[in-house]
Amino acid sequence: MRLPLIPPAHLDAAQQPLHADMKAGIEKNFKGFATIAPDGALEGPWNPWLHWPRIGEPIWELTKALSFETKLPRPVREVAILVTGAKFRAAYEIYAHVIAAEQRGLPDAKIATIVAGQRPADLTREEAVAYDIAAALVAGGVLPEITWKQGVEVFGREAAGELVYLVGLYCLVSVTLNGFDVPIPEDDRPPG
Protein backbone atom coordinates (compact mmCIF):
# COMPACT_ATOMS: atom_id res chain seq x y z
CA MET A 1 0.00 0.00 0.00
CA ARG A 2 1.37 3.38 -0.98
CA LEU A 3 -0.32 5.42 1.75
CA PRO A 4 -0.01 4.54 5.42
CA LEU A 5 -3.20 4.29 7.43
CA ILE A 6 -3.71 7.39 9.57
CA PRO A 7 -4.66 6.67 13.20
CA PRO A 8 -7.07 9.27 14.65
CA ALA A 9 -4.34 10.59 16.98
CA HIS A 10 -2.29 11.66 13.93
CA LEU A 11 -5.04 13.48 12.00
CA ASP A 12 -4.52 17.16 11.23
CA ALA A 13 -7.22 19.84 11.57
CA ALA A 14 -8.49 19.33 7.98
CA GLN A 15 -8.61 15.54 8.34
CA GLN A 16 -10.41 15.34 11.70
CA PRO A 17 -13.94 16.36 10.61
CA LEU A 18 -13.74 14.27 7.44
CA HIS A 19 -12.58 11.25 9.45
CA ALA A 20 -15.44 11.71 11.92
CA ASP A 21 -18.05 11.99 9.13
CA MET A 22 -16.66 9.03 7.17
CA LYS A 23 -16.39 6.89 10.31
CA ALA A 24 -20.02 7.60 11.25
CA GLY A 25 -21.22 6.81 7.71
CA ILE A 26 -19.10 3.68 7.48
CA GLU A 27 -20.26 2.31 10.84
CA LYS A 28 -23.90 2.85 9.91
CA ASN A 29 -23.90 1.79 6.26
CA PHE A 30 -20.89 -0.37 5.34
CA LYS A 31 -21.09 -3.53 7.42
CA GLY A 32 -19.71 -7.04 7.09
CA PHE A 33 -16.27 -6.21 5.70
CA ALA A 34 -13.17 -4.56 7.19
CA THR A 35 -13.38 -0.77 7.04
CA ILE A 36 -11.79 0.50 10.26
CA ALA A 37 -8.50 -0.76 11.71
CA PRO A 38 -8.29 -1.60 15.43
CA ASP A 39 -6.56 1.75 16.08
CA GLY A 40 -9.44 3.66 14.41
CA ALA A 41 -7.67 4.31 11.09
CA LEU A 42 -9.93 4.08 8.04
CA GLU A 43 -9.18 1.36 5.49
CA GLY A 44 -10.21 0.87 1.87
CA PRO A 45 -10.79 3.97 -0.29
CA TRP A 46 -11.44 6.10 2.78
CA ASN A 47 -7.76 6.17 3.69
CA PRO A 48 -6.61 7.83 0.43
CA TRP A 49 -9.52 10.28 0.62
CA LEU A 50 -8.39 11.19 4.12
CA HIS A 51 -4.83 11.88 2.94
CA TRP A 52 -6.14 14.69 0.71
CA PRO A 53 -9.29 16.06 2.37
CA ARG A 54 -9.68 18.77 -0.29
CA ILE A 55 -10.30 15.98 -2.80
CA GLY A 56 -11.56 13.27 -0.46
CA GLU A 57 -14.37 15.31 1.05
CA PRO A 58 -16.21 15.92 -2.25
CA ILE A 59 -15.76 12.26 -3.19
CA TRP A 60 -17.21 11.25 0.18
CA GLU A 61 -20.17 13.61 -0.34
CA LEU A 62 -20.82 11.95 -3.72
CA THR A 63 -20.51 8.52 -2.10
CA LYS A 64 -23.10 9.48 0.50
CA ALA A 65 -25.45 10.89 -2.15
CA LEU A 66 -25.27 7.67 -4.17
CA SER A 67 -25.25 5.22 -1.26
CA PHE A 68 -27.48 6.31 1.60
CA GLU A 69 -30.68 7.40 -0.17
CA THR A 70 -30.65 5.41 -3.37
CA LYS A 71 -33.56 4.94 -5.75
CA LEU A 72 -32.08 1.69 -7.05
CA PRO A 73 -32.72 -1.69 -5.44
CA ARG A 74 -29.70 -2.81 -3.39
CA PRO A 75 -29.02 -6.03 -5.37
CA VAL A 76 -29.07 -4.02 -8.62
CA ARG A 77 -26.51 -1.60 -7.21
CA GLU A 78 -24.25 -4.47 -6.24
CA VAL A 79 -24.41 -5.95 -9.74
CA ALA A 80 -23.29 -2.62 -11.24
CA ILE A 81 -20.56 -2.14 -8.62
CA LEU A 82 -19.22 -5.67 -9.13
CA VAL A 83 -19.16 -5.22 -12.92
CA THR A 84 -17.11 -2.07 -12.39
CA GLY A 85 -14.75 -3.56 -9.80
CA ALA A 86 -14.20 -6.63 -11.99
CA LYS A 87 -13.33 -4.47 -15.01
CA PHE A 88 -10.66 -2.63 -13.00
CA ARG A 89 -9.65 -5.71 -10.97
CA ALA A 90 -9.81 -3.55 -7.84
CA ALA A 91 -9.13 -6.05 -5.05
CA TYR A 92 -10.64 -4.15 -2.11
CA GLU A 93 -13.75 -3.17 -4.09
CA ILE A 94 -14.35 -6.76 -5.16
CA TYR A 95 -13.69 -8.04 -1.63
CA ALA A 96 -16.12 -5.56 -0.03
CA HIS A 97 -18.86 -5.81 -2.62
CA VAL A 98 -18.86 -9.59 -2.83
CA ILE A 99 -19.78 -9.46 0.86
CA ALA A 100 -22.32 -6.68 0.27
CA ALA A 101 -23.86 -8.61 -2.65
CA GLU A 102 -24.20 -11.72 -0.48
CA GLN A 103 -25.88 -9.58 2.20
CA ARG A 104 -28.32 -8.32 -0.47
CA GLY A 105 -29.28 -11.88 -1.40
CA LEU A 106 -27.32 -12.42 -4.61
CA PRO A 107 -26.28 -16.08 -4.96
CA ASP A 108 -22.57 -16.90 -4.88
CA ALA A 109 -22.62 -18.41 -8.39
CA LYS A 110 -24.05 -15.19 -9.83
CA ILE A 111 -21.50 -13.08 -7.93
CA ALA A 112 -18.60 -15.30 -9.03
CA THR A 113 -19.63 -15.06 -12.66
CA ILE A 114 -19.77 -11.26 -12.52
CA VAL A 115 -16.42 -11.04 -10.73
CA ALA A 116 -14.96 -13.26 -13.47
CA GLY A 117 -16.03 -10.61 -15.97
CA GLN A 118 -18.92 -12.58 -17.43
CA ARG A 119 -22.67 -12.00 -17.61
CA PRO A 120 -24.67 -14.55 -15.60
CA ALA A 121 -27.50 -16.24 -17.49
CA ASP A 122 -29.88 -16.05 -14.51
CA LEU A 123 -29.99 -12.29 -13.92
CA THR A 124 -33.38 -10.79 -13.10
CA ARG A 125 -34.65 -8.17 -15.56
CA GLU A 126 -33.44 -5.34 -13.28
CA GLU A 127 -30.06 -6.99 -12.70
CA ALA A 128 -29.63 -7.60 -16.43
CA VAL A 129 -30.28 -3.96 -17.30
CA ALA A 130 -27.90 -2.80 -14.55
CA TYR A 131 -25.27 -5.26 -15.79
CA ASP A 132 -25.64 -4.08 -19.38
CA ILE A 133 -25.43 -0.39 -18.46
CA ALA A 134 -22.39 -0.89 -16.22
CA ALA A 135 -20.63 -3.16 -18.74
CA ALA A 136 -21.23 -0.70 -21.58
CA LEU A 137 -19.96 2.24 -19.55
CA VAL A 138 -16.78 0.56 -18.31
CA ALA A 139 -16.04 -0.64 -21.85
CA GLY A 140 -15.76 3.01 -22.90
CA GLY A 141 -17.59 5.16 -25.39
CA VAL A 142 -21.13 6.46 -25.45
CA LEU A 143 -23.78 4.37 -23.68
CA PRO A 144 -25.89 2.89 -26.52
CA GLU A 145 -29.32 4.52 -26.84
CA ILE A 146 -31.10 1.15 -26.63
CA THR A 147 -29.30 0.38 -23.35
CA TRP A 148 -30.21 3.79 -21.90
CA LYS A 149 -33.87 3.31 -22.95
CA GLN A 150 -33.92 -0.07 -21.20
CA GLY A 151 -32.64 1.60 -18.03
CA VAL A 152 -35.32 4.29 -18.16
CA GLU A 153 -38.02 1.69 -18.89
CA VAL A 154 -37.00 -0.54 -15.98
CA PHE A 155 -35.89 2.00 -13.36
CA GLY A 156 -37.33 5.35 -14.43
CA ARG A 157 -35.28 8.29 -15.66
CA GLU A 158 -34.01 9.44 -12.26
CA ALA A 159 -32.86 6.01 -11.10
CA ALA A 160 -31.32 5.25 -14.51
CA GLY A 161 -29.34 8.48 -14.18
CA GLU A 162 -28.34 7.45 -10.67
CA LEU A 163 -27.05 4.17 -12.09
CA VAL A 164 -24.81 6.03 -14.56
CA TYR A 165 -23.40 8.16 -11.72
CA LEU A 166 -22.97 5.06 -9.53
CA VAL A 167 -20.83 3.38 -12.18
CA GLY A 168 -18.81 6.58 -12.53
CA LEU A 169 -18.27 6.77 -8.77
CA TYR A 170 -17.07 3.17 -8.62
CA CYS A 171 -14.74 3.78 -11.56
CA LEU A 172 -13.23 6.54 -9.40
CA VAL A 173 -13.16 4.26 -6.36
CA SER A 174 -11.47 1.50 -8.40
CA VAL A 175 -8.84 3.85 -9.80
CA THR A 176 -8.21 5.22 -6.30
CA LEU A 177 -7.78 1.71 -4.89
CA ASN A 178 -5.52 0.62 -7.73
CA GLY A 179 -3.55 3.87 -7.88
CA PHE A 180 -2.64 3.67 -4.21
CA ASP A 181 -2.37 -0.14 -4.20
CA VAL A 182 -4.99 -0.52 -1.45
CA PRO A 183 -5.04 -4.17 -0.37
CA ILE A 184 -7.68 -6.38 1.14
CA PRO A 185 -7.18 -6.04 4.93
CA GLU A 186 -4.75 -8.68 6.18
CA ASP A 187 -7.22 -10.39 8.49
CA ASP A 188 -9.62 -10.93 5.59
CA ARG A 189 -7.15 -12.25 3.01
CA PRO A 190 -7.64 -15.86 1.93
CA PRO A 191 -5.02 -18.25 3.33
CA GLY A 192 -2.09 -19.25 1.17
Side-chain angles (χ1 to χ4, degrees):
M1 184 163 67
R2 296 187 172 112
L3 300 172
L5 297 180
I6 309 171
H10 296 124
L11 296 170
D12 66 28
Q15 294 167 326
Q16 289 172 356
L18 180 57
H19 180 277
D21 190 40
M22 288 195 297
K23 184 174 186 248
I26 290 165
E27 289 175 337
K28 183 177 178 186
N29 298 286
F30 297 101
K31 299 178 183 196
F33 53 93
T35 54
I36 302 172
D39 66 359
L42 304 181
E43 299 179 295
W46 299 284
N47 181 57
W49 298 344
L50 198 53
H51 274 266
W52 291 280
R54 179 181 66 81
I55 298 165
E57 186 173 358
I59 298 170
W60 174 240
E61 289 301 319
L62 180 60
T63 302
K64 291 191 302 187
L66 290 169
S67 299
F68 302 163
E69 294 183 27
T70 180
K71 303 242 182 257
L72 294 165
R74 297 287 177 181
V76 165
R77 289 173 45 82
E78 294 307 324
V79 167
I81 293 167
L82 286 171
V83 167
T84 307
K87 174 67 175 181
F88 286 91
R89 295 187 310 271
Y92 184 93
E93 184 174 332
I94 293 168
Y95 147 77
H97 286 279
V98 162
I99 294 168
E102 289 172 337
Q103 292 171 341
R104 306 300 192 269
L106 290 171
D108 285 346
K110 192 180 285 189
I111 295 167
T113 302
I114 295 169
V115 169
Q118 299 173 2
R119 189 179 193 270
D122 61 342
L123 294 171
T124 67
R125 173 88 167 115
E126 289 181 331
E127 292 167 354
V129 171
Y131 184 99
D132 292 346
I133 288 173
L137 289 170
V138 300
V142 175
L143 179 65
E145 183 66 20
I146 189 75
T147 310
W148 169 251
K149 283 181 180 177
Q150 291 291 306
V152 171
E153 180 183 304
V154 170
F155 301 118
R157 186 172 180 269
E158 188 173 343
E162 182 181 304
L163 181 56
V164 170
Y165 287 120
L166 181 71
V167 173
L169 170 63
Y170 278 91
C171 286
L172 174 59
V173 171
S174 294
V175 168
T176 299
L177 294 168
N178 287 345
F180 297 110
D181 195 20
V182 177
I184 296 170
E186 270 190 47
D187 293 345
D188 289 358
R189 288 187 192 152

